[in-house]
Amino acid sequence: MGRYVITAGPTREHLDPVRFLTNPSTGKMGFAVARAAAERGHDVALIAGPVALKTPKGVRRIDVTSARDMLAAVEDAIGDGDCVFVATAAVADWRPASCADRKLKKGLMSDTIKLVRNPDILKGVKCRHKIGFAAETNDVMSEAARKCREKGLAMIVANDVTEKGAGFGTDTNRVTFLKADGSVERLPLMSKLAVARRIVRFAEGLA
Ligand code: PMT
């Protein structure tokens, strides 16, 4: 059986202890992938941003807050790199340049926030097989293809988040698999668990 490392949910990038940048990811897609991999008997580490979901049976879960926390937990879980990494998390691409350790007083805050780039976890980590997601609102396939190439993926799951029943927060998803060999597989609207089982089946077929 294989080793799977999966990211899920959003990250939070704090400006102070009570304010942060984030996005609408609920973790449902990533938790479904973790469940699907565990059901098949794989060893699963699930690195989860702040979400309100129960841990699937047989899954080792590590909770994190920020993109940098997520990167550290992923590197730790990947270890020697002999695993499949499935990145479903909606990682914040930027974070505030600084984070105050006490609540910033409104009257003293500036109207602009200086941002710095977060590390690209999926692009940076080294492991045997990497599968990514691309949440897009336009130019879905060309953007997904670019990310697949630039991040060195075996497959990218293109997710048009403007489609009904797809993307953030839903129990269903409608996705297209774009594989490194250029082949394309469009899936119908199905449950996130059914999508997850198809992803795990694809990963099991990788050498
Ligand atoms: O959690 P749900 O509510 O179920 O919603 C599911 C989902 C919409 C979040 C999911 O299906 C999805 O599309 N996840 C990818 C979201 C995303 O941020 O995509 P992206 O195009 O920005 O990133 C491309 C890939 O790089 C992703 O695999 C992402 O995890 C990874 N990435 C991105 C930025 C970064 N700094 N580090 C990364 O690892």
Side-chain angles (χ1 to χ4, degrees):
M1 285 295 111
R3 208 156 60 72
Y4 283 64
V5 176
I6 296 156
T7 61
T11 63
R12 281 183 188 171
E13 310 299 330
H14 275 270
L15 185 59
D16 70 15
V18 299
R19 301 182 179 97
F20 49 80
L21 302 176
T22 191
N23 62 67
S25 173
T26 58
K28 285 180 180 176
M29 190 64 246
F31 276 56
V33 176
R35 177 177 160 187
E39 273 175 2
R40 296 280 297 157
H42 299 296
D43 176 278
V44 182
L46 172 62
I47 321 295
V51 297
L53 295 176
K54 273 178 45 189
T55 310
K57 207 162 148 245
V59 167
R60 185 164 54 90
R61 170 175 174 176
I62 301 106
D63 286 321
V64 297
T65 302
S66 69
R68 287 182 297 171
D69 297 341
M70 187 172 272
L71 173 62
V74 166
E75 285 178 336
D76 190 47
I78 283 180
D80 66 4
D82 191 12
C83 61
V84 176
F85 177 40
V86 187
T88 77
V91 184
D93 289 308
W94 294 273
R95 66 178 185 276
S98 61
C99 174
D101 55 5
R102 295 162 70 181
K103 183 178 175 184
L104 293 165
K105 301 295 178 216
K106 215 181 297 178
L108 298 176
M109 276 177 76
S110 128
D111 289 342
T112 55
I113 302 172
K114 183 169 189 296
L115 300 176
V116 294
R117 286 208 79 104
N118 269 330
D120 189 320
I121 301 169
L122 180 59
K123 188 172 181 180
V125 297
K126 303 249 178 301
C127 78
R128 193 204 272 261
H129 301 299
K130 300 197 282 190
I131 296 173
F133 272 68
E136 308 292 344
T137 57
N138 53 286
D139 305 322
V140 178
M141 292 312 290
S142 58
E143 278 303 292
R146 181 182 61 77
K147 289 175 184 178
C148 188
R149 207 173 43 247
E150 288 180 0
K151 299 185 191 221
L153 310 181
M155 178 170 82
I156 193 149
V157 180
N159 203 172
D160 182 343
V161 297
T162 67
E163 283 199 34
K164 199 168 157 20
F168 297 105
T170 51
D171 291 319
T172 53
N173 212 351
R174 187 199 300 273
V175 300
T176 301
F177 288 176
L178 178 56
K179 299 171 192 168
D181 65 6
S183 62
V184 173
E185 192 180 346
R186 284 182 203 285
L187 305 187
L189 185 69
M190 53 173 72
S191 70
K192 282 185 173 168
L193 184 58
V195 172
R197 288 182 175 137
R198 297 285 285 263
I199 292 169
V200 171
R201 200 186 310 160
F202 167 79
E204 287 174 347
L206 293 169

